[in-house]
Amino acid sequence: MKKFSEVPSLGGGFSFGLPVTTATTTVEPAISTSASPRSGFSFGARVTTATTVDPPISTSASSINLITSDVTSTESSKTKPLFTFPAAQPKLDSQWRNLEWTEEKKTSLMKTVSSYRPSCRDVTQARVLLLGPVGSGKSSFVSSVQSVFNGRVTNRAMVGSSSSSFTKKSFNIQAQKLEDPTGLVLCDIVGLGGGEMTGLTLHDILSVIKGHVPEGHKFSSDQPVRSETVGYVKRPSLKDKIHCVAFVVDASKVLTYPKGLSSTFKLLREHISDLGVHQVALLTHIDQICPETTKDANQVYQSRIIQDMMGKAAALLGMSTSYIVPVKNYSSELDLDVNTDVLLLSAVDHILQYADLYFQDNTPQHTGSKSDYNIDV
């Protein structure tokens, strides 16, 4: 069985720099006033004394040299990482997507999400599978969404993974009073790639989407899901299946993801589409690429940087930007922020719209109920 191409883990980030061969040289980051035409990032150095620099560095994204393990210890000790964010760009005059940033909007979105129920009497919850590279923010998204409903920032226990096994785990998003779950279940499994072969195969992913894989199942590279698997659901009902897939990509890594990842995404999307499952995408960590959004999430739709990165993410995923929503997860914060909440809840609302399309497509009209989510496609 063919496995996906391995994707190097980017959790620690890449170091960009160049070895300087004279001990008296002072190397300082030089921040460019204009973004690189291809990558949107600028790499360089200002040398204050005569020096020999090897190799030459290029601002072209395709020719950036990475410091690798074959560099000698002496050279490595003289290397200084160089990295700059995109040059400051003026904000757009108006939002490129209309979204209200008020407490009233947050309350309205919470009510919409809390009261959502699938337009099918046999199913009580929409099951959404999060798929993305290691470190893309899938687990953080689950925690952040639940934090909004909890009324405080919380970090739920997430799926652990190793090089040999990992577990399928589903999270019921609870309403604010924590009495009853909402109509949404977020399913998390190991990230795509990760430097070592994780055992995640196309067959296993499709088995999850089809509803064959039991909750808590531990995947293994040498034991693919099959009918003999303990707990295997031979005849999954509609409620066992995945009703929407949300791809998750890190905005700060879109330009450095390996080329093979795009092919992986497109292969996945082709097979998932064949199952009749709609797909959306979350662009996470937007606060790491736009200083204005770092300060306040309500700047997201007036940011040229994020608008441009949305286009690059669309190319990576092979989907239209209309399916992609930017997200700022809670990470180091201790308190909730209304603008961050609005952005998270609007992402959930976006996901539920496409999950409900699945029920409309797969449920006889007479068995369904009127849905709040009607999309013309």
Side-chain angles (χ1 to χ4, degrees):
M1 183 176 303
K2 187 176 181 180
K3 298 179 179 177
F4 287 113
S5 300
E6 295 179 29
V7 181
S9 173
L10 301 178
F14 287 115
S15 292
F16 296 92
L18 42 93
V20 181
T21 58
T22 58
T24 60
T25 300
T26 300
V27 180
E28 300 177 354
I31 302 177
S32 173
T33 58
S34 62
S36 173
R38 288 192 60 189
S39 66
F41 295 92
S42 175
F43 303 91
R46 182 171 63 253
V47 182
T48 58
T49 62
T51 184
T52 300
V53 177
D54 181 50
I57 199 163
S58 169
T59 56
S60 170
S62 62
S63 58
I64 293 174
N65 294 306
L66 303 181
I67 300 302
T68 57
S69 58
D70 60 354
V71 178
T72 64
S73 59
T74 302
E75 290 175 325
S76 179
S77 65
K78 296 179 181 179
T79 300
K80 292 185 177 181
L82 303 178
F83 178 85
T84 61
F85 282 107
Q89 298 182 33
K91 293 192 301 183
L92 296 169
D93 293 334
S94 59
Q95 296 188 110
W96 43 278
R97 281 183 184 167
N98 293 322
L99 186 61
E100 297 176 16
W101 305 94
T102 63
E103 191 71 45
E104 291 74 19
K105 181 61 176 179
K106 172 184 172 179
T107 301
S108 174
L109 284 168
M110 287 187 70
K111 182 178 179 181
T112 299
V113 174
S114 298
S115 61
Y116 168 79
R117 292 296 180 271
S119 55
C120 173
R121 66 178 59 175
D122 298 324
V123 181
T124 59
Q125 293 178 302
R127 298 176 61 81
V128 178
L129 178 64
L130 303 176
L131 281 178
V134 172
S136 58
K138 302 186 304 300
S139 297
S140 294
F141 177 71
V142 177
S143 286
S144 296
V145 171
Q146 188 59 71
S147 293
V148 177
F149 285 97
N150 286 350
R152 66 182 187 278
V153 177
T154 55
N155 185 20
R156 298 181 64 172
M158 291 292 125
V159 178
S161 64
S162 68
S163 61
S164 60
S165 66
F166 48 92
T167 306
K168 175 197 171 191
K169 181 79 172 178
S170 299
F171 296 90
N172 290 287
I173 300 303
Q174 302 289 130
Q176 192 165 20
K177 293 182 180 180
L178 301 181
E179 295 174 353
D180 299 307
T182 65
L184 174 66
V185 175
L186 296 175
C187 304
D188 191 11
I189 56 177
V190 72
L192 303 175
E196 296 181 5
M197 184 58 67
T198 62
L200 186 67
T201 66
L202 175 62
H203 170 79
D204 286 344
I205 292 175
L206 296 181
S207 294
V208 171
I209 295 173
K210 292 176 182 178
H212 293 302
V213 182
E215 181 67 10
H217 171 75
K218 289 188 176 181
F219 295 86
S220 177
S221 58
D222 58 353
Q223 294 181 349
V225 176
R226 52 171 63 94
S227 58
E228 293 79 16
T229 297
V230 176
Y232 183 87
V233 183
K234 295 183 178 180
R235 296 182 179 179
S237 62
L238 195 61
K239 64 182 180 62
D240 298 316
K241 299 179 180 181
I242 292 296
H243 310 124
C244 180
V245 170
F247 290 102
V248 185
V249 293
D250 184 342
S252 69
K253 299 176 183 177
V254 167
L255 299 176
T256 56
Y257 279 137
K259 293 181 179 179
L261 184 61
S262 180
S263 298
T264 297
F265 277 133
K266 290 171 184 177
L267 178 63
L268 275 168
R269 294 196 62 242
E270 179 182 346
H271 284 273
I272 294 171
S273 294
D274 288 343
L275 297 177
V277 177
H278 296 276
Q279 302 141 61
V280 297
L282 305 175
L283 183 66
T284 61
H285 299 145
I286 55 172
D287 49 311
Q288 294 183 19
I289 67 169
C290 176
E292 293 300 320
T293 305
T294 303
K295 298 175 185 176
D296 199 334
N298 70 4
Q299 300 299 306
V300 58
Y301 288 127
Q302 284 186 267
S303 169
R304 295 178 187 273
I305 295 172
I306 294 176
Q307 185 182 41
D308 179 62
M309 195 60 70
M310 288 276 286
K312 291 178 171 60
L316 173 72
L317 292 160
M319 63 169 56
S320 168
T321 54
S322 62
Y323 295 101
I324 307 173
V325 288
V327 167
K328 179 181 178 181
N329 290 328
Y330 285 111
S331 54
S332 60
E333 299 87 351
L334 296 178
D335 300 308
L336 296 178
D337 169 70
V338 63
N339 293 331
T340 301
D341 291 351
V342 167
L343 196 59
L344 286 163
L345 289 168
S346 63
V348 174
D349 185 47
H350 179 75
I351 289 172
L352 288 175
Q353 292 182 49
Y354 286 92
D356 210 67
L357 273 181
Y358 179 88
F359 297 117
Q360 294 178 37
D361 295 341
N362 293 275
T363 307
Q365 189 171 4
H366 67 276
T367 64
S369 59
K370 185 176 180 180
S371 171
D372 292 331
Y373 294 95
N374 295 309
I375 305 175
D376 294 325
V377 294

